[in-house]
Amino acid sequence: MASLLTIGAIRELSYEILQYLNPSDIFSLLLTCKLFYPVCYQSLWSTLRLYDKAKINDRGRICYKLARLINTRGVDNTGVGHIRTIMLHRYSLTCTNGFVRSSFIHILETLLASGKLNLKHLELRYNLSWHTDSEKEELFGFLRHVREYSRRKQPDEFSMAITANPIFLEPGMHIQVLDIEKITSFDLEMDWQYNGYETDERQHAYSSGSGAWEDSDSDFTDPGDDAHGLDDDGEWPRTVSEQPNASEGLRPSNIQIDTSQYNTRLAGILTHLLSQAVNLKFLTIRSIRDGGRRYTDFKLSPPLKSLQTTIKSLPKLHTLTIQGKLFHPSFFIAPPESARVVNYDGVLSNRWLREFRECPFTNVTHLNVNFRKDNYERGKGCRDFRRRLVNYVQSSGLLRCDVEGFDTIAPDLGLCILRGNRGLDELSRKKLSKGADRPL
């Protein structure tokens, strides 16, 4: 067995071991032996988390300590030169947080401009807040310094991970301070309680009929033609003109109708944003708040079609995750051919399932789907939430697959995935066959 002296003498091995230790353990190891000191010291400075992970709203106390340390000892007598990753949190870019008030924000600006900071990655919660013009300029000034630094680097030299509500990333002043091409990870939070659409746009969608909103399945042809499955024409969602009206006892005035699918402004923002993210590797789109409104039948509009095409065209995307509602439970997003891992999680409809089964998931090896129960019966506003057979799936190259809750909407889905993907590992096969109507 190798001794600590042997491990400490091999820096590559030491770095590998440190990947499994938290900062406090690394600091303890740093104190044990002179051989471990350099590698532990460098590791402690390499990733700068500007907040306490256990207390994310700590008002930036770490920033005050770092600013005092650097101002007292000077840059050259600290480990600033080892910093490669900086992680900010949701309160960092607000005028009341310690990142700003401690002036550590200006220290980083100076380091970036002088070249003394060789930053490789920035994790940023894009959530700006200011009260005066000077505070606004202070926050945007930092982002402009990051942008200038980013433009001097190649995509393999610098990257960013951004968490944000996409409504605040629309084309304009905000987006101009981010180098979108350097973003490798997007975590987009869809706040559906935010009034991001115009009233006249919503009214236009209801009054213009099928001419304005295309039914994506209007020319759908299915080889299975199973009258009891998802191919039953009677189960296709209705056009706008067929929506429930006052004569059917459902008046628009006394029922909350979900109109997220008509939010063309948000669809346009997402399309514009993702079309520029040519180096994006990880994309997560998730709902953080969603009101309990009833869904109407889905109409695939041109803006939503453009969004589908944009995501499917991302050239370097490795992992696609959709959590919760994305405009409508029937809105299916197919992964690009570059994707290897795909995750869907939410209240998903029959129409969504039809698109899912036709998707070949080319090059996808890991697929996870969680069909959540419609606890609020929000699907009762349309006819697209019924238990139906799938009959087949197009995917054929999966190595791992975990599908939860499929028996509530498509009882034969597990069996169909098993039939089409003979290379699945044993655990996946066991889980999928558990809910199958008949043995494989």
Side-chain angles (χ1 to χ4, degrees):
M1 180 179 294
S3 66
L4 286 177
L5 291 177
T6 303
I7 296 174
I10 305 175
R11 301 199 103 194
E12 293 79 6
L13 182 57
S14 300
Y15 281 123
E16 183 66 26
I17 293 174
L18 294 182
Q19 301 300 316
Y20 299 94
L21 302 179
N22 58 44
S24 61
D25 292 334
I26 294 176
F27 183 75
S28 297
L29 183 60
L30 174 146
L31 301 175
T32 61
C33 179
K34 291 183 179 180
L35 285 174
F36 281 106
Y37 185 92
V39 66
C40 290
Y41 184 77
Q42 181 174 343
S43 177
L44 287 171
W45 278 92
S46 64
T47 298
L48 202 59
R49 186 188 296 272
L50 298 182
Y51 58 94
D52 185 342
K53 193 174 182 180
K55 300 177 181 178
I56 194 168
N57 188 15
D58 63 353
R59 298 298 179 186
R61 287 192 294 268
I62 295 176
C63 296
Y64 284 101
K65 294 178 181 179
L66 287 169
R68 186 164 56 250
L69 176 67
I70 293 173
N71 290 329
T72 302
R73 294 190 177 184
V75 173
D76 296 334
N77 293 319
T78 64
V80 168
H82 297 303
I83 296 175
R84 296 296 179 266
T85 299
I86 295 178
M87 304 172 71
L88 303 174
H89 65 90
R90 72 168 65 213
Y91 305 107
S92 295
L93 296 184
T94 64
C95 59
T96 60
N97 189 263
F99 181 56
V100 178
R101 289 189 168 184
S102 68
S103 296
F104 192 62
I105 186 174
H106 300 304
I107 293 176
L108 287 185
E109 288 177 354
T110 302
L111 292 172
L112 287 172
S114 65
K116 293 184 177 181
L117 183 61
N118 186 18
L119 195 62
K120 297 287 188 181
H121 183 72
L122 176 65
E123 184 177 300
L124 173 66
R125 176 81 180 217
Y126 195 82
N127 185 28
L128 281 75
S129 176
W130 62 84
H131 300 293
T132 65
D133 289 340
S134 61
E135 292 170 347
K136 173 184 173 182
E137 181 58 32
E138 197 169 23
L139 296 172
F140 278 93
F142 169 71
L143 292 176
R144 282 192 287 267
H145 275 85
V146 173
R147 181 181 175 88
E148 292 170 4
Y149 175 85
S150 175
R151 287 186 161 181
R152 299 195 299 267
K153 301 291 183 178
Q154 296 299 318
D156 59 339
E157 295 177 321
F158 179 76
S159 63
M160 289 189 291
I162 305 294
T163 299
N165 183 338
I167 203 69
F168 300 121
L169 293 172
E170 61 182 323
M173 178 175 59
H174 287 233
I175 205 65
Q176 296 303 319
V177 294
L178 293 176
D179 188 358
I180 305 299
E181 292 186 2
K182 297 302 192 306
I183 297 176
T184 56
S185 176
F186 255 136
D187 186 346
L188 300 175
E189 299 177 332
M190 311 292 282
D191 184 353
W192 295 108
Q193 293 185 20
Y194 179 84
N195 187 16
Y197 44 70
E198 299 294 336
T199 303
D200 57 346
E201 179 182 70
R202 183 173 53 202
Q203 293 297 327
H204 172 73
Y206 279 120
S207 62
S208 59
S210 58
W213 303 96
E214 179 184 351
D215 185 341
S216 63
D217 283 343
S218 59
D219 58 350
F220 179 77
T221 302
D222 190 289
D225 197 24
D226 187 338
H228 299 289
L230 293 176
D231 311 317
D232 186 355
D233 289 352
E235 301 309 322
W236 287 19
R238 294 161 287 182
T239 61
V240 173
S241 59
E242 294 173 319
Q243 295 291 346
N245 52 38
S247 64
E248 295 174 317
L250 293 174
R251 295 171 56 87
S253 59
N254 60 17
I255 184 174
Q256 282 191 312
I257 302 296
D258 184 272
T259 57
S260 303
Q261 61 175 304
Y262 303 121
N263 192 339
T264 58
R265 175 190 173 195
L266 183 55
I269 291 172
L270 286 171
T271 300
H272 182 269
L273 181 67
L274 296 176
S275 65
Q276 300 177 74
V278 294
N279 291 298
L280 195 65
K281 297 179 181 178
F282 304 93
L283 173 60
T284 297
I285 305 177
R286 56 193 175 92
S287 295
I288 56 175
R289 290 194 302 172
D290 184 15
R293 301 175 181 178
R294 291 186 177 181
Y295 301 121
T296 59
D297 295 334
F298 181 58
K299 312 302 294 183
L300 184 59
S301 64
L304 292 183
K305 267 193 169 182
S306 297
L307 179 57
Q308 281 182 327
T309 302
T310 299
I311 294 178
K312 196 173 182 179
S313 302
L314 291 171
K316 297 182 180 181
L317 192 70
H318 176 275
T319 301
L320 172 66
T321 300
I322 308 292
Q323 296 179 341
K325 183 187 71 178
L326 180 59
F327 292 94
H328 192 279
S330 296
F331 185 46
F332 177 76
I333 296 293
E337 292 189 359
S338 60
R340 298 295 183 269
V341 180
V342 178
N343 307 291
Y344 301 108
D345 184 345
V347 177
L348 306 171
S349 72
N350 299 133
R351 171 173 287 193
W352 185 94
L353 196 55
R354 284 203 300 274
E355 298 293 330
F356 171 84
R357 74 173 182 187
E358 299 296 333
C359 181
F361 290 100
T362 306
N363 299 322
V364 173
T365 57
H366 294 61
L367 176 64
N368 301 290
V369 186
N370 185 13
F371 292 92
R372 294 192 178 274
K373 292 182 179 180
D374 189 2
N375 295 326
Y376 300 99
E377 296 185 328
R378 290 176 291 173
K380 283 195 172 181
C382 62
R383 301 186 297 174
D384 209 15
F385 293 83
R386 297 189 182 183
R387 196 169 185 260
R388 289 290 183 267
L389 298 178
V390 175
N391 301 317
Y392 67 92
V393 293
Q394 290 287 356
S395 62
S396 59
L398 301 177
L399 301 180
R400 292 184 184 178
C401 183
D402 187 5
V403 185
E404 299 288 341
F406 65 87
D407 56 312
T408 64
I409 186 169
D412 66 333
L413 180 58
L415 180 62
C416 292
I417 294 176
L418 284 170
R419 283 176 171 170
N421 297 270
R422 297 290 180 176
L424 287 169
D425 65 355
E426 189 61 32
L427 181 59
S428 299
R429 297 175 67 84
K430 183 178 180 180
K431 288 184 177 181
L432 291 172
S433 60
K434 185 177 180 180
D437 279 354
R438 53 188 182 276
L440 182 64

